[in-house]
Amino acid sequence: MFELEIYEIINILGLIIGLAFGAIAQKNQFCFSGSIKDYILTKSTKRAASVVMAMIVAIISTTLMANHFELDLTQTSYFKNNINYFAIIFGGLLFGAGMMIADGCSSRSLVKYAQGDSNALVTLLFIGLFAYATTKGLLFGVLNPFINNPTLIKWSSIIENTQMNIYVIIGILFVILLLLVKKIKRILTLIDGVLIGLLVSIVWYVSGVIGAESLEREIALSGISFVYPIGKTIELFSYYEVNELSFAITLVCGVLLGTFLMSFANKKYSFGCTANQNINKVKYNMIGGSLMGVGGVLAIGCTVGQGLTGLSTLAFASLLAILSIFISGFITAIMLNKRDKLPMCFIFEWEEEKKNKPIDFQI
């Protein structure tokens, strides 16, 4: 038998968790940006309810896990020193606009590409390119003075980036969930949201508990996120060094593989419908991907990275980030819809509301 180092085990677990995430997301097309589009185009709240359910489960399961294993979530990047709320809000606004323009956020683009949408690859490449450029490349010199602006950081310090009250946050989210489902029994159908939420806490366990035992390589306490990891995955693909393989990269690879495998069993989702619409997909994918790459770094995460993982730590900054993403995404979607540039390929309805009618377009 091969003896594996702790960091190697963690990389394998990253692949397995990514497989699960991809399969779950593909099965019911779990999507934050798609939930916005569903509501604007058809008033459907099904996928939005799954997203909110994932938030609730992620917060509760992460809190229970962190308390049991005595993990200090305030040591994560979501509570970093000298935080700049202005950069986070601006990044969230960029990301929200980008995900609607590109027709999917970072995790959604991984799923779309793996299940057959070749345009999503353009989005992924531009997310990775611009995330890396913002972190270490050409855009770093331009944006770093804004991110680390002493005045903005000082103003931000007026409101401490502390952990919010779990009962207040869960209470608000539960009220939102009830408004979305309208019927209590529908909550039982949101299994995809429950599973995605549980995966968030499992990743905290992997990095914080198993990772703490690693002597060969330092494993940072981190959760599920996709923007910068996509950039690191592209870098690894371009310039391979085995010691650069990490949990975040294997997670991305796992999502692609899990989605690809699930697409064989769940073949009904395809994306040929947008080809006949008056939409310059490649241009929109490039613009949207660029905005998400920059915005995801400024906001310290994407819809999953902040909306699920960050929010599970109850960080105030994460709440600001996901609200900025939602507001920007909603406004952008309305603007695109007025110009007939909001493609929709599949109708997502509650089971009892499905009607025998032809489907012309989908998300």
Side-chain angles (χ1 to χ4, degrees), residues 70-81:
E70 298 183 345
L71 291 182
D72 185 3
L73 297 176
T74 63
Q75 298 303 308
T76 64
S77 60
Y78 303 107
F79 294 90
K80 71 174 187 175
N81 295 327

Side-chain angles (χ1 to χ4, degrees), residues 165-228:
N165 186 293
I166 185 173
Y167 300 107
V168 173
I169 299 302
I170 291 297
I172 293 173
L173 288 174
F174 190 69
V175 170
I176 294 174
L177 181 64
L178 292 179
L179 292 175
L180 292 172
V181 298
K182 297 181 177 66
K183 299 177 182 179
I184 295 293
K185 65 179 182 180
R186 289 176 173 174
I187 292 179
L188 301 177
T189 68
L190 305 177
I191 187 63
D192 55 334
V194 172
L195 295 176
I196 293 291
L198 288 174
L199 286 180
V200 171
S201 62
I202 290 173
V203 172
W204 284 124
Y205 173 81
V206 170
S207 67
V209 179
I210 300 178
E213 301 297 324
S214 177
L215 299 177
E216 309 81 14
R217 183 185 297 182
E218 183 179 356
I219 306 297
L221 179 59
S222 58
I224 302 177
S225 193
F226 291 109
V227 172
Y228 187 61

Side-chain angles (χ1 to χ4, degrees), residues 42-172:
T42 67
K43 301 304 178 185
S44 172
T45 58
K46 187 176 188 299
R47 290 202 290 177
S50 288
V51 170
V52 175
M53 175 60 82
M55 291 178 176
I56 293 173
V57 174
I59 292 172
I60 294 175
S61 59
T62 295
T63 300
L64 292 174
M65 186 277 302
N67 289 339
H68 181 75
F69 293 101
E70 298 183 345
L71 291 182
D72 185 3
L73 297 176
T74 63
Q75 298 303 308
T76 64
S77 60
Y78 303 107
F79 294 90
K80 71 174 187 175
N81 295 327
N82 298 324
I83 199 159
N84 184 343
Y85 292 141
F86 297 90
I88 288 177
I89 292 172
F90 181 60
L93 295 176
L94 289 179
F95 191 94
M99 73 179 186
M100 301 312 303
I101 292 172
D103 193 26
C105 62
S106 48
S107 60
R108 178 61 174 163
S109 296
L110 287 170
V111 171
K112 287 176 66 177
Y113 172 60
Q115 66 182 9
D117 184 358
S118 58
N119 285 318
L121 177 60
V122 177
T123 302
L124 292 172
L125 290 175
F126 273 78
I127 288 175
L129 176 64
F130 276 79
Y132 217 68
T134 304
T135 306
K136 297 182 177 180
L138 181 63
L139 295 178
F140 177 78
V142 177
L143 293 171
N144 188 56
F146 169 59
I147 297 172
N148 293 304
N149 185 283
T151 301
L152 296 181
I153 291 174
K154 182 179 180 180
W155 289 347
S156 298
S157 67
I158 295 174
I159 302 177
E160 184 180 359
N161 183 30
T162 186
Q163 282 188 303
M164 299 176 291
N165 186 293
I166 185 173
Y167 300 107
V168 173
I169 299 302
I170 291 297
I172 293 173

Side-chain angles (χ1 to χ4, degrees), residues 14 31 54 76 114 116 144 188 212 217 219 263 269 275 290 297 337 339:
C31 181
T76 64
N144 188 56
L188 301 177
R217 183 185 297 182
I219 306 297
S263 66
Y269 297 112
S290 302
V297 172
N337 189 42
R339 298 172 57 198

